[in-house]
Amino acid sequence: MGVVIHQFIKQSDNKLFKIYTEDGENFLAEKILLTDGAKIQTDIPDFELYYNKNLFRSPYSYGWELKGKKLIYINETRDVTLTAKVIHNLSNDLIVATNGNEITENEKRELENKGIHVITDKIKEMKGHNGLLSSVVFQNGVEIEREAGFITPSTYTTNIIGQGFSCDLDKHGLIVVDHFGRTSEKNVYAAGDAAQPAPTEIVLSEATGIKVAITINSDISIEKF
């Protein structure tokens, strides 16, 4: 049975971490692997009510289930067209919304030539029932019926457990790691959504976890040789 981690504290010798669990137990560890993921950061009201119910990050996880539905793709970054093209392959009834962010005229023209309506107004409200999205309301008063959608937010925040770490983060809030999953803090590693650009798939996160686990075992073996 697993335990819920409450806090990590680096020991004074910088060689061990003390781990406190929510049920009052504590352990010592030589290495820490952070795999607790990344959380979407957006100012869209009530976004969390629909996230992972019929509003998702990746068309590769839930795309087939939403095939042919009235979709919205919310992209708060400058890289809009690539994922929009993938989603358009699932449904011709697609709206692209930038939630107030700019899009180049060339990108807008390319999408609209395929019948994809682009809305750059801020999203005022998301409506639905029992966690299922039914429409999106924009600041200009326009309300558009949508059955489901996808989102690429401008930033993510890592859910780093405890206060004992000072790992470098990139501009999106993800933990900076080298090719082997080592962070800027000695003996702390990261894998999965916490350290790679989203959207990611479970199988890819598992793969990075295995790779970093091999690195940790190798580092320990070399240090003890």
Side-chain angles (χ1 to χ4, degrees), residues 3-21:
V3 295
V4 179
I5 303 300
H6 175 64
Q7 188 179 30
F8 291 122
I9 296 179
K10 184 188 291 186
Q11 299 300 282
S12 58
D13 59 7
N14 286 326
K15 293 182 178 180
L16 293 174
F17 296 92
K18 194 163 190 179
I19 303 169
Y20 294 88
T21 69

Side-chain angles (χ1 to χ4, degrees), residues 40-42 57 74-77 151-156 172:
I40 284 180
Q41 183 173 314
T42 179
R57 281 193 302 172
I74 302 168
N75 186 306
E76 297 179 335
T77 74
I151 182 170
T152 301
S154 56
T155 57
Y156 298 84
H172 299 296

